[in-house]
Amino acid sequence: MTHPNDVAVGIVGLGGIGSHHATKLTERGANLVGGMDVDAAARERFYEEFDVPAYEDEEALYDDCDAVLVTTPNRFHEEYAVSALSAGLDVLIEKPLAHTLESAERIADAARDAEGFCTVGFNNRFAEPVRVIKHYQDEGRFGETTHVEANYVRRRGVPGRGSWFTSAEVAGGGALIDIGVHAIDLALYFLDHPEVVEVSGETRSEFGGRDDYAYVNMWGDDDGPEGFDVDDSASAFLRAADGTTVSLEVAWATNRPATDEFVVRGTEAGATFDRGGDDLTIHEASVGGGHHLSDATVETREGDSHAAEQAAFLEGVAAGEAPAINTVEEGLRVQRVIDAIYRSAETGAAVRLD
């Protein structure tokens, strides 16, 4: 059997997240064989940092690869994922699956017919607290999990105004599709991906388009509000066919304290944890020995969710078997919810998905 670190892997899209993935691959000793980007400066930076070829044409990269990571702006996910799948390669696409539902559906169609497999970069599933919660869910400690409160809220965190992140044409949306996709996926993951039948949501653009947008730091450069045409916050409520529900708060910018808190509520126990942390609290109640409430703090080892995500992907490539986690079908379900929230916000009414 091929060792995961012997898998020849390339990266399509050599911007910030592509370089981040390349760094993680080299840290684990993986066989990074090259990269591809249409931008010459990005190719030069990648070559200088990682000392592997950087191509302008994806076909040249594919000839050297067993698998590729697609880390381009959202609008181009479909183009490169489909061509890689057509070339017989295994593919990991950074979240979201695509910039629109229609594009995501075309990727999923290509993956169903492909020799290789396709996974989606929902790295938060590999966080240590998430793994602990899933373990206790599987053991039955939580009983039936019925509701998840999902928060991914920055007080000020609009990324690179004037970049592709703040262009609806390229990104497909703003805070909801950028960071909200993580919150939605994690909530549905805790609920075992139920069939979402109704979505009600509202999106807002209140800060990113202002000349007086006040911030302390920004991921990327601030080129000002011109062209900012996406949401910078969203609120939504999801209802599934089995009665489970999700309440969602997402923001790049809002006048409230930042929070990444998730609350998982079950019939026998619940849990609270910070998406960016390593600890969680389990909440329980009992009549044994007298009525009482208890909160148990669980400390986990510091983890690296991106490294763990890459490990699962490369192990699947090496074994010739698609991982059971982060499937393209799950990514498509998340994309349907995102699309429904945007449609609900546009129409001012709940959207049925059944």
Side-chain angles (χ1 to χ4, degrees), residues 79-153:
E79 174 184 350
Y80 295 112
V82 171
S83 63
L85 289 166
S86 298
L89 304 181
D90 297 314
V91 179
L92 189 157
I93 305 176
E94 256 302 340
K95 62 77 196 169
L97 183 53
H99 67 306
T100 67
L101 176 58
E102 293 76 17
S103 182
E105 288 172 336
R106 289 191 291 269
I107 294 172
D109 286 342
R112 294 184 191 107
D113 297 332
E115 178 183 342
F117 64 78
C118 183
T119 63
V120 187
F122 295 124
N123 64 290
N124 288 285
R125 296 193 192 186
F126 296 91
E128 295 301 312
V130 173
R131 287 174 156 174
V132 170
I133 289 172
K134 289 298 288 186
H135 166 72
Y136 283 132
Q137 283 184 311
D138 292 342
E139 283 196 335
R141 183 171 181 177
F142 290 85
E144 297 294 325
T145 304
T146 55
H147 181 73
V148 178
E149 301 170 32
N151 298 285
Y152 200 149
V153 176

Side-chain angles (χ1 to χ4, degrees), residues 7-349:
V7 170
V9 59
I11 297 178
V12 179
L14 306 180
I17 188 62
S19 294
H20 176 74
H21 273 288
T23 298
K24 295 297 179 185
L25 287 168
T26 55
E27 286 175 352
R28 64 170 278 126
N31 184 20
L32 176 63
V33 297
M36 177 268 163
D37 201 292
V38 295
D39 181 73
R43 295 196 300 271
E44 181 64 24
R45 287 194 302 269
F46 190 81
Y47 171 73
E48 290 179 355
E49 183 172 1
F50 301 104
D51 194 29
V52 293
Y55 303 98
E56 184 178 5
D57 175 69
E58 70 271 20
E59 297 300 333
L61 174 65
Y62 294 168
D63 287 341
D64 297 332
C65 292
D66 302 312
V68 296
L69 279 61
V70 177
T71 59
T72 64
N74 302 344
R75 182 180 178 182
F76 308 106
H77 284 187
E78 178 188 348
E79 174 184 350
Y80 295 112
V82 171
S83 63
L85 289 166
S86 298
L89 304 181
D90 297 314
V91 179
L92 189 157
I93 305 176
E94 256 302 340
K95 62 77 196 169
L97 183 53
H99 67 306
T100 67
L101 176 58
E102 293 76 17
S103 182
E105 288 172 336
R106 289 191 291 269
I107 294 172
D109 286 342
R112 294 184 191 107
D113 297 332
E115 178 183 342
F117 64 78
C118 183
T119 63
V120 187
F122 295 124
N123 64 290
N124 288 285
R125 296 193 192 186
F126 296 91
E128 295 301 312
V130 173
R131 287 174 156 174
V132 170
I133 289 172
K134 289 298 288 186
H135 166 72
Y136 283 132
Q137 283 184 311
D138 292 342
E139 283 196 335
R141 183 171 181 177
F142 290 85
E144 297 294 325
T145 304
T146 55
H147 181 73
V148 178
E149 301 170 32
N151 298 285
Y152 200 149
V153 176
R154 300 172 182 168
R155 184 170 179 177
R156 289 293 186 276
V158 176
R161 291 196 306 173
S163 71
W164 69 265
F165 282 97
T166 62
S167 165
E169 182 180 4
V170 182
L176 178 61
I177 202 167
D178 177 36
I179 58 177
V181 65
H182 278 305
I184 295 166
D185 175 73
L186 207 51
L188 296 181
Y189 182 54
F190 286 133
L191 296 172
D192 291 327
H193 275 274
E195 179 192 359
V196 178
V197 294
E198 185 177 77
V199 173
S200 182
E202 187 61 68
T203 59
R204 308 171 191 85
S205 186
E206 300 173 325
F207 300 96
R210 291 168 56 165
D211 289 324
D212 62 346
Y213 173 66
Y215 65 95
V216 176
N217 50 57
M218 180 180 289
W219 189 86
D221 298 324
D222 185 14
D223 291 330
E226 185 176 354
F228 187 99
D229 62 352
V230 295
D231 53 285
D232 49 32
S233 69
S235 304
F237 190 82
L238 320 180
R239 187 188 307 276
D242 61 2
T244 57
T245 51
V246 175
S247 55
L248 175 73
E249 286 292 338
V250 176
W252 275 344
T254 184
N255 285 327
R256 60 148 295 167
T259 177
D260 286 344
E261 183 181 74
F262 278 68
V263 182
V264 180
R265 289 160 47 181
T267 55
E268 301 303 319
T272 304
F273 75 101
D274 186 295
R275 185 197 54 82
D278 298 308
D279 302 332
L280 66 144
T281 303
I282 296 178
H283 312 285
E284 294 173 297
S286 176
V287 297
H291 294 254
H292 63 277
L293 310 178
S294 60
D295 296 318
T297 300
V298 179
E299 180 180 357
T300 71
R301 288 194 290 182
E302 182 178 352
D304 186 330
S305 59
H306 273 117
E309 172 190 75
Q310 288 181 352
F313 175 66
L314 293 177
E315 287 165 7
V317 179
E321 185 174 344
I325 192 171
N326 290 29
T327 68
V328 70
E329 294 296 338
E330 290 169 345
L332 184 57
R333 292 181 200 132
V334 174
Q335 195 89 36
R336 290 191 181 111
V337 171
I338 291 171
D339 178 75
I341 293 172
Y342 281 131
R343 286 192 287 129
S344 177
E346 183 179 352
T347 62

